[in-house]
Amino acid sequence: MNFAFGQGSLKNYFPKSVFKADLSAKIDNEIKRQSELLKKEKLTSTEQKELDILLEKYGEVVESMWDIVDGGCSWYCGGGNYEVKSSSSLNSEKGIKYQAKNANDLNYRTAWVEGKPDEGVGEYLEYYFKNNSPRITEIIISNGYMKSETAWKNNNRVKKLKLSVNGKPFGILNLEDSKSDQKFKLGTFGHNKNGTDLILRFEIVEVYKGGKFNDTAITEIYFDGIDVH
């Protein structure tokens, strides 16, 4: 184990559940077709049967395959973080910016990529929450560059993240090497007794190597919790 970041004495955590999002062309086309049928004023009997099947499969609030959180009410309706920062970010030769906000837009199509010339060990994302924001009970990480199978395989994925809470090391999050959303339940965060904002830092400790690029990507870090409904 690498002790450079002090994780030797920190507790190791593993995902409580793993969800593999289906980002296939078939799903994309079906959701688009559902939206198309919902917009029509009058449906034929055949179209109505088709819509009923799609609604049963996806639900009415789904707007896009790329949406990580559906269009209906969620924990984010009550708050969420107000800022995200990164220690570095990659700017591609094509002018594409893989900024911190890409890991905070609830979209599978975009990703944050660290900007160091190596694999990015020590680089981090930092999320800021107002003290009166709903408390967090779940942290979900969409590991790697998930927009396509090729992008996911070509770039590094995170193997270990060091989580710090309000500047204090909390533990090591151990991620699977799978194109998936990995859910961690680590307790309840937020509503600091001293009234300060909650700050969660996720620091890269170790990676799974990509097949082509030595850049480490995280599609999204998002949250669920209490104090909303």
Side-chain angles (χ1 to χ4, degrees):
M1 180 179 285
N2 182 346
F3 290 88
F5 298 96
Q7 71 266 26
S9 60
L10 295 177
K11 184 175 180 179
N12 280 279
Y13 295 92
F14 298 86
K16 291 296 183 182
S17 60
V18 174
F19 170 72
K20 294 187 177 182
D22 189 342
L23 302 176
S24 64
K26 176 178 180 293
I27 300 298
D28 192 24
N29 290 333
E30 286 184 350
I31 292 175
K32 286 178 179 176
R33 177 59 175 165
Q34 175 178 293
S35 296
E36 178 186 322
L37 291 171
L38 284 170
K39 291 175 182 177
K40 294 186 73 170
E41 291 185 7
K42 191 173 183 180
L43 300 176
T44 66
S45 58
T46 301
E47 288 174 332
Q48 186 62 59
K49 287 179 182 177
E50 181 185 5
L51 178 58
D52 289 342
I53 291 170
L54 291 171
L55 286 172
E56 185 175 350
K57 188 173 183 179
Y58 299 109
E60 195 167 344
V61 297
V62 172
E63 297 175 356
S64 169
M65 174 184 75
W66 302 104
D67 291 343
I68 291 176
V69 175
D70 293 338
C73 193
S74 69
W75 179 80
Y76 281 89
C77 295
N81 63 296
Y82 66 87
E83 188 174 13
V84 60
K85 296 180 181 179
S86 65
S87 53
S88 68
S89 60
L90 177 69
N91 292 329
S92 76
E93 294 178 357
K94 296 180 180 179
I96 301 172
K97 296 181 179 180
Y98 299 95
Q99 303 169 84
K101 67 179 184 180
N102 290 359
N104 190 219
D105 60 2
L106 300 176
N107 193 303
Y108 285 120
R109 200 193 297 264
T110 59
W112 168 68
V113 182
E114 48 75 30
K116 294 296 184 181
D118 55 18
E119 67 270 18
V121 169
E123 299 307 292
Y124 61 83
L125 285 166
E126 207 165 58
Y127 293 75
Y128 293 76
F129 304 81
K130 293 292 186 184
N131 195 47
N132 60 356
S133 179
R135 286 169 291 173
I136 295 166
T137 57
E138 296 179 359
I139 296 171
I140 309 102
I141 300 169
S142 307
N143 197 14
Y145 199 172
M146 290 176 62
K147 74 171 184 177
S148 70
E149 196 67 28
T150 299
W152 190 83
K153 289 180 178 178
N154 281 348
N155 292 277
N156 298 341
R157 289 81 59 188
V158 175
K159 186 174 184 179
K160 294 178 184 288
L161 280 175
K162 176 184 173 182
L163 171 63
S164 296
V165 181
N166 300 325
K168 297 179 180 179
F170 179 88
I172 301 297
L173 310 186
N174 292 264
L175 292 128
E176 295 183 5
D177 192 19
S178 63
K179 187 183 170 190
S180 62
D181 290 8
Q182 304 181 35
K183 183 181 293 186
F184 292 83
K185 294 188 176 183
L186 311 173
T188 303
F189 302 114
H191 293 187
N192 295 334
K193 291 182 179 179
N194 62 3
T196 59
D197 290 352
L198 170 67
I199 303 173
L200 300 180
R201 176 182 287 193
F202 301 87
E203 181 180 324
I204 299 170
V205 171
E206 192 174 342
V207 305
Y208 298 105
K209 285 289 190 177
K212 187 175 182 180
F213 305 113
N214 196 24
D215 303 313
T216 302
I218 296 176
T219 289
E220 194 80 13
I221 298 179
Y222 62 109
F223 310 92
D224 203 352
I226 54 178
D227 305 322
V228 176
H229 303 292

